[in-house]
Amino acid sequence: MVLGQSLRNHKTSRKLVVMIGPHVSDPSRAVLHRIYDEVRLVDVLDSGDTANLAMMKRPDLGVTFTKLHCWTLTHYSKCVFMDADTLVVSNVDELFDREELSAAPDPGWPDCFNSGVFVFRPSKETYGRLLQFCTEHGSFDGGDQGVLNAFFSDWATTDINKHLPFIYNLSSVAIYTYAPAFKQFGSNAKVVHFLGNTKPWSYSYDPKARTVKGDVQAASSHPSFLLQWWTLYATFVVPMMHQEYGDTPFHSGCEEEMATAPPPPPMSSLERKQRWEQGQADYMGVDSFDNIQKKLDAFLK
């Protein structure tokens, strides 16, 4: 919702499409319909590669295979994919002048591109080849970035025009800081990417004081971007959420509402089991890898 609204605020002239899984609630879908031109329901794809995901300590990234569905958007000739944890801070329509597969270098290994933002051409043939590649070769990191870098393996060496400047995928995470470069080029940032385990929605926000609550400095080298995310969310998205949810309480993350809103009722064991069977586990919450590990440890003891 925040990503789409940031694109709208910066006057994009392009159609906006969001891909969602079946777990997204009806009120949230309604808000997405208000922001995006098209809301497309897709199946959740999971790499199931626990070994490589454990190496990165990111078991949640297996489901990022779902983004491969973007190649099925064949009613468009060219698209720009953007992860949900990105924020547009300036108009980026010029990205459509680039060709497939254009992306910015990953800050952790610059010979690989970061798959949070990339230009591509939808194609059923490419989609089929990608799925076949996943089946035959898997992913070297267990997530979508490994498989896409292996599939588009000539990105690092063939055409420099397919290397997007870092300002189109600027990492906000402290471990990737190059302070002099940020001082020189940071004001030209176009897209901020909130990499890592801790996302903007992991915090809470005080709208009156306009401050983000939590260990902001530890997770972000540029807290101003985090504040931008929350300001946009509280100003534009939360009012739409209230309209769609009506009298049904929801957790907005804004502190003044958290004090008055009752907690959501706990999910029954049967309901949780049904969600698991439908591929709708709460990967980031109660069904996270860490919680499952704790359960196993307690059982084995």
Side-chain angles (χ1 to χ4, degrees), residues 22 34 59 98 141 157 161-162 171 173 198 209 219 231 261 266 274:
R34 294 169 67 166
R98 304 282 181 147
D141 67 357
T157 56
N161 287 321
K162 294 182 179 180
S171 168
V173 183
T198 307
T231 302
Q274 289 172 339

Side-chain angles (χ1 to χ4, degrees), residues 71 78-81 94-105 113-121 152 155 159-165 168-169:
W71 268 273
K78 189 187 290 184
C79 299
V80 176
F81 180 91
E94 67 274 11
L95 285 175
F96 286 88
D97 296 334
R98 304 282 181 147
E99 280 302 327
E100 182 178 83
L101 186 288
S102 292
F113 58 82
N114 183 278
S115 59
V117 178
F118 59 85
V119 183
F120 70 101
R121 287 192 176 273
F152 295 99
W155 174 87
D159 186 356
I160 194 65
N161 287 321
K162 294 182 179 180
H163 289 217
L164 297 181
Y168 289 101
N169 196 343

Side-chain angles (χ1 to χ4, degrees), residues 2 7 30 32 61 76 90 105 125-126 153 158 167 190 197 224 239 252 268 274 279-280:
V2 173
L7 284 158
L32 289 169
L61 291 182
Y76 299 101
S90 181
E125 180 187 356
T126 305
S153 58
T158 302
I167 58 170
K190 295 265 188 174
N197 277 308
S224 62
S252 72
S268 69
Q274 289 172 339
Q280 300 175 27

Side-chain angles (χ1 to χ4, degrees), residues 220-237:
S220 175
S221 56
H222 313 300
S224 62
F225 292 135
L226 188 60
L227 183 60
Q228 282 187 54
W229 189 98
W230 271 100
T231 302
L232 191 155
Y233 171 70
T235 305
F236 293 95
V237 175

